Amino acid sequence: MPMILNDEQNMLKDSAKDFCTNNAPIAQLRKLRDEDNADGFDRDTWKQMVELGWAGIPWKEDFGGLDFGYKGLGVVTEETGRTLTASPLYATVWVGGTAINVGGTDEQKSSLLPEVAGGSLLLALALEEGPRHNPYGIETKAEAKGGDFVINGKKTFVLDGNVADKLIVVARTSGKPGDRNGLTLFLVDRTAKGVEVTRTKMADSRNAANISLSGVTVSKDDVLGDVDKGADVLDATLDVARIGLAAELLGSAQEAYERTIEYLKERVQFGVPIGSFQGLKHRAADMFCEVELCKSVVLDALSALDEGRSAEDIAKAASLAKAKVGETFTLVSREAVQMHGGIGMTDEFDIGFFMKRAAVAEQTFGDLIFHRNRYGELEGY
Amino acid sequence: MPMILNDEQNMLKDSAKDFCTNNAPIAQLRKLRDEDNADGFDRDTWKQMVELGWAGIPWKEDFGGLDFGYKGLGVVTEETGRTLTASPLYATVWVGGTAINVGGTDEQKSSLLPEVAGGSLLLALALEEGPRHNPYGIETKAEAKGGDFVINGKKTFVLDGNVADKLIVVARTSGKPGDRNGLTLFLVDRTAKGVEVTRTKMADSRNAANISLSGVTVSKDDVLGDVDKGADVLDATLDVARIGLAAELLGSAQEAYERTIEYLKERVQFGVPIGSFQGLKHRAADMFCEVELCKSVVLDALSALDEGRSAEDIAKAASLAKAKVGETFTLVSREAVQMHGGIGMTDEFDIGFFMKRAAVAEQTFGDLIFHRNRYGELEGY
Amino acid sequence: MSDAVADFRADVEDWISEALPSALQGREMGPAGNGPKRTDSDSQKWFDACYERGFTVPNWPRAYGGAELDKARHQVLREVFRAHGAPQPLGGMGVTMIGPTLLEHGNDEQKERHLPKIANGEIRWCQGYSEPSAGSDLASLRTKAEDKGDFYLVNGQKIWTSGAQYADWIFCLVRTNPDVPKHDGISFLLFSMHDPGVSVKPIVLINGTSPFCEVFFTDVKVPKRDLVGQENKGWTVAKRLLQHERSSLSGLGGGPRADEQGSLVDVARQYLGVDEQGRVADPSLRRELIDHQIRSRAFALTQRRSHEENQAGDVPTFATSIFKYYSSETRKRRYELQLRMMGTQGVGWEGDSFSDDELALTRTWLRSKSGTIAGGSTEVQLNIIAKRVLGLPD
Amino acid sequence: MSDAVADFRADVEDWISEALPSALQGREMGPAGNGPKRTDSDSQKWFDACYERGFTVPNWPRAYGGAELDKARHQVLREVFRAHGAPQPLGGMGVTMIGPTLLEHGNDEQKERHLPKIANGEIRWCQGYSEPSAGSDLASLRTKAEDKGDFYLVNGQKIWTSGAQYADWIFCLVRTNPDVPKHDGISFLLFSMHDPGVSVKPIVLINGTSPFCEVFFTDVKVPKRDLVGQENKGWTVAKRLLQHERSSLSGLGGGPRADEQGSLVDVARQYLGVDEQGRVADPSLRRELIDHQIRSRAFALTQRRSHEENQAGDVPTFATSIFKYYSSETRKRRYELQLRMMGTQGVGWEGDSFSDDELALTRTWLRSKSGTIAGGSTEVQLNIIAKRVLGLPD
């Protein structure tokens, strides 16, 4: 029964809900933003998340994990989405950790995943080079030089790039931009010589950075996966990352939606709650359906990972989930502002944070256009 | 002031409204359909339209016309759209007559346009060869043979092809399907040897036919416009035809819309008129806006013709009008059925005729996709 | 799965391999599931085999012709049927609507008299709910039933009565008390369509077919033993029955029909062609095709989730309320899209210039419009979701 | 055109060639049209030249600083301004809202005292309408004004007061009778924002700017001579003023701003690239771009039609009612589309990694959301159309 949670998953979800509500509510993100916090997340909160085991949920016990599956990680992440919690959970666990888990040698996994699970190693995937998601359009070059590689290039929209200890840099070792072949993934210390990181402040107040790599030298032991075959690791990682993001955004969409429904019940105009107006009712009911569909596509996608379905089936589920949830969250967060009226336009009120988050998340690892097209191609039309 | 009607145009519109309401209501189309009338239109009604001068509105007085402009013809056609009147007005005047007016020699115009104006000559443009509008995708061949041409090919969706006295056949004299160059227009008697006409019954109960041409011989005097340069005449004709159709559909959309608004006021459910439900109100008000926009694009397009704007400007106005009005009529006619509820699903009630008409008209001389793309290309993006 | 259920599965597997005529695999029954006799012998054979095992109404008591299957076994049966491409042996409003309603609300005499004839396909039923001025506002119905001692005297008119021209009996909402709030004066009656005073007039729809009728009642005498539930409490029975209807209309558990899903892609390829990469050639319609497929797939997953939740917990699920709305809107959009893909070949009405499939599309497109009107319109469904699920105020 | 009007055109043409500093052509006035003094000398020079001719308020009486232009001459003036790229010399709620309202509803003393200071830009006005619990339902406002003989004592709170932090005076709706239906107890007062008891708190919006304020009134004394219209009849005045506001918000007559229109295509080309045929490379966003351009063009033609109908007949046109709704929704969509075209560069907040245009887009996108909320929300506009234009019942 892949479409429902088991008891353990339900317990995990409930405890995550409690934790996020109490320890990492939207007020925390607001504070980080208003204080211009250099980390962009709260290190104490992260420490507590790690203590709850969240950073090790998907890894095997051999690698310091709980072996609790992506569905477990998904329900936790959904709750962090409800509170728009900024933490390394996404970039480090969903993305970076997955890349190591998928592409790493046993040695790499043994040395790095326990550090991830222990919260001491933060990761970031340095992939994008332009304003639109384009995983094979890599121009950053890595040239072999003796047993080493020298990397030159520029990366943009690197999530947590400003705080990560290690970057996973996607570089081209052969071929030309657009080729799937010829990509290689490198583990690069953020503080390595030639690495220059500029934090980019985004509308959602979450961490991202531009990264310039000038003559950065790494050894062949820092290659993740095989040289020129990095796309195998990258594609698998990206699909996990998309599913994880969909899980997070599902939480955000539900929260924005539920807050709006509550507001419709409370706000009185013309002597009645505005939720009694049929014009708003019908829009609310239609959104309810879309949110229900989102729950289903996310559950199916998480199950696909844990069941070990084929790469193609996972890819379909990932594109379906990112497309559907992204579209719905965009709709719901905009309607949330509209239905809240004037108060929704104020910074003092939280609902606007959801709309900003939706806009940035829509651009993360492929927007609706990208995933619609990909879903069609995967389905063969 | 191109966006408003002058007194003469208003009078013409009012008289057309009276005429259509009294002499050619939807009941007439229903009767033609139910009796399986072989002509697909009422010859007496057509005679009366001709007596009112409608078949000569746009032609110069030298050619038997009223020289009253396409705006005059447009307001009349809008009224025929309200009553879904089936008549040769569209295929013969808007399309066929325009082709002769645009591409004909003085001799052709002098001999044919007075016959059009007098109602004795019915015309049809034999253009399409596949299920989608594709004006340059012509495979029908016309080969020169002595001073004559021999035509071979198959045409489909020829409006009034079953009743026209003369067909204007678009054939290829050089080049290959898809080329703009190499097309030539021929005037061909419907009863000529080698012409075989099969009426195709469409959902809107209006006339269309498939036409097969097998070794049809025509003389060079039957060429309309220049050999190989037929696209010049064709393009100009099609833009007029699109604008005329937009004018007709504007009338249909308004009528379907107004009938629906009336129904919302009359139909009582839950003890109140259903028009008091905000869910329906908001949809109705939004449609009102779209219909108002349609009025504007049609007036502008008709003005473009009468003002003699550049071919490119006319083309933009034509694609804008067909795209916008087609989309709106489709929306309005579907909402009309939905808002009428069960009664709207019955054949006995007229509203379903509008939805059927919208579906067929959407395919006539380019659908929304065709004209959206064309508008973008004309605007240079 | 328990051993007993596994045994049941094995048993049914054995049986179906014998009983199902191979010609019926993956097909529907000839004449659409009403009436006891089939026009073809394979269908008749299959019906008889199912009836013998109680499988025309698998979860009904044996006493009424069923097999008394519990939930788990019923699910096994469905899975086996599906795996073998076996058609449902019996459909219609007897099995899907009035039968389940009588099981809950009928008295023993009514159950004994009516249910066996539903199970064996002898009696076909129709539904007397809607009236000309009572559509979405069903409870405002006016057909009146006067108490005449032993019987009610029924006068009035119904509309949108599906299959009334073929039906033997009707379950019918009537007003037995006009002087109370509208929901409180309604009763639920059963009577024969062959009774004196009942007349039927088919309604021609915009697609040319007549699946519905108007039904007129003039001094129809209905014995009181065919009152279901209490007098003036018929609305409760009616609402329960509507739930059966909605879960039936939404194709609950079935998902979008496979033939409908697959073919839209085929239609796109056929009428629009494909590019070098095998993609549907028109980018605009391809986009709409994918959007539709995404929508359909997400909906099918939601049906599966609802089903699993149902299986797991028996709690009434959140999601059933959206099914009627979402499936009918999706189906409507699907045909709009197909129509546009097919160009002028999608809007033919009759004649040799169109293929049978093309002509069928035009009719199905028009018919699909009723999906968002009949059985609780889209607007009514949205109201229900807003009220019952979201708790928005009236 | 009559000879007299033609003479007027020639005269204005001569004047503008002299008076308009070339540096101002095609630009807006420095600081956005409030206050008498300009920060740059060109703007000040242009303002002075206009004011001298009465062109800051061209259709107002000369006695109040206007030029008393009739409709035809006013139109000529607009055309000449447009042809020369001349900026409006004066904007703000004085010219667009309270001025026209006082001309209709003010007494002579009020007109003489207030209008000249609007015309010369001395006094800036703000609008005290909305309250925390009176948004779309404006008439439920609670700010109360008690009759104290010579003056009213005003207590309460306003919200969404545009530019209150810069305003000198406020036109303000207050409740003078709480015991009658809500529309019947409202009065329309004018008073100084510098009066004791008035305090202002800017509201930070989601885009980081503060164009609106909360305004608090504690025992503010307003002399009775600044009551506009009759006591308790303020709603009539307020509604009339809202019409001025809506025609101003919808950019009536102006059409979508040229800079907004052109640049969307440029943005598409810049961020998405073009194919060999010069088309925007992404087919999906290109489709949405064209849809937007079609929508904008059709709307601009409708504004032109409305304008021509107005010119021709003086009848209130059908179409003005749609402008606020349609223009704000269209503008909102436009920014959504632009955002998506620009990818991650469209969602930057600050810093050197984004161009000034990119950062401005993020803010403008967020701000555009208020267009469908403020000044009568989309929902209110649709209600108005349904009721007033379509005549649908309440």
Side-chain angles (χ1 to χ4, degrees), chain D residues 19-53:
Chain D
L20 178 64
S22 57
L24 271 185
Q25 278 191 316
R27 310 198 145 227
E28 299 205 354
M29 298 285 274
N34 275 319
K37 293 294 167 198
R38 302 296 166 161
T39 49
D40 64 301
S41 62
D42 280 333
S43 295
Q44 188 64 49
K45 188 181 157 216
W46 173 233
F47 179 87
D48 292 342
C50 288
Y51 178 63
E52 195 193 340
R53 297 275 307 224

Side-chain angles (χ1 to χ4, degrees), chain B residues 46-76:
Chain B
W46 174 238
K47 211 178 141 197
Q48 291 168 304
M49 289 176 170
V50 169
E51 281 162 11
L52 287 167
W54 294 2
I57 290 177
W59 326 132
K60 292 219 175 89
E61 292 175 16
D62 295 352
F63 304 130
L66 300 178
D67 201 7
F68 208 68
Y70 279 108
K71 213 160 161 184
L73 186 60
V75 297
V76 165

Side-chain angles (χ1 to χ4, degrees), chain B residues 130-132 157 198 200-203 210 267-271 280 283 334 337-338 341-347 352 355-356 359-360 363 369 372, chain C residues 132-137 160 203-206 282 284-285 332 336 340-345 347-350 353-354 365-366 369-370 372-373 379:
Chain B
R132 307 186 77 75
F157 198 50
T198 313
T200 48
K201 294 200 182 170
M202 312 300 290
N210 289 344
R267 170 76 173 169
V268 172
Q269 290 281 274
F270 306 104
L280 298 182
R283 280 150 62 189
R334 289 178 194 173
V337 169
Q338 177 70 25
I343 193 96
M345 286 299 296
T346 63
D347 184 68
M355 190 168 68
K356 294 176 184 173
V360 179
Q363 297 302 332
I369 293 168
R372 178 198 286 129
Chain C
S133 61
S136 291
D137 181 15
W160 310 122
I203 299 167
V204 183
L205 291 189
I206 53 176
D282 182 288
S284 208
L285 286 168
K332 197 162 78 168
E336 292 295 351
R340 294 195 295 126
M341 287 173 173
M342 288 166 62
T344 49
Q345 291 305 106
V347 287
W349 192 250
E350 56 189 29
S353 306
F354 306 96
W365 161 64
L366 288 164
K369 300 293 177 190
S370 72
T372 58
I373 295 171
E379 290 78 11

Side-chain angles (χ1 to χ4, degrees), chain C residues 7-159:
Chain C
D7 287 349
F8 174 73
R9 183 187 290 272
D11 178 38
V12 175
E13 286 278 1
D14 285 348
W15 165 80
I16 205 168
S17 313
E18 279 289 301
L20 179 63
S22 56
L24 271 184
Q25 278 193 315
R27 311 197 146 225
E28 300 205 353
M29 298 286 274
N34 276 319
K37 293 294 169 197
R38 302 296 165 159
T39 48
D40 63 301
S41 62
D42 281 333
S43 294
Q44 188 64 47
K45 189 180 156 214
W46 173 235
F47 179 89
D48 291 343
C50 288
Y51 179 64
E52 195 193 340
R53 297 273 308 224
F55 289 167
T56 60
V57 287
N59 58 342
W60 290 15
R62 287 186 200 280
Y64 306 135
E68 283 188 21
L69 298 192
D70 58 18
K71 209 157 207 169
R73 286 181 176 77
H74 196 178
Q75 176 60 18
V76 164
L77 188 70
R78 270 194 288 256
E79 287 167 13
V80 173
F81 268 51
R82 200 178 303 133
H84 289 259
Q88 287 300 317
L90 185 61
M93 294 185 183
V95 182
T96 59
M97 290 190 236
I98 185 63
T101 306
L102 282 178
L103 280 168
E104 280 180 50
H105 293 278
N107 59 37
D108 287 345
E109 189 272 333
Q110 288 167 338
K111 291 187 213 174
E112 279 158 29
R113 193 151 43 86
H114 293 296
L115 294 178
K117 291 180 182 172
I118 293 171
N120 72 10
E122 187 179 330
I123 298 294
R124 291 165 297 189
W125 287 81
C126 66
Q127 179 188 51
Y129 271 37
S130 295
E131 298 185 5
S133 61
S136 291
D137 181 15
L138 184 58
S140 69
L141 60 93
R142 294 179 192 171
T143 292
K144 69 176 172 186
E146 292 167 276
D147 188 336
K148 296 288 183 184
D150 286 352
F151 62 91
Y152 294 102
L153 194 67
V154 178
N155 280 284
Q157 185 196 341
K158 295 289 173 182
I159 195 170

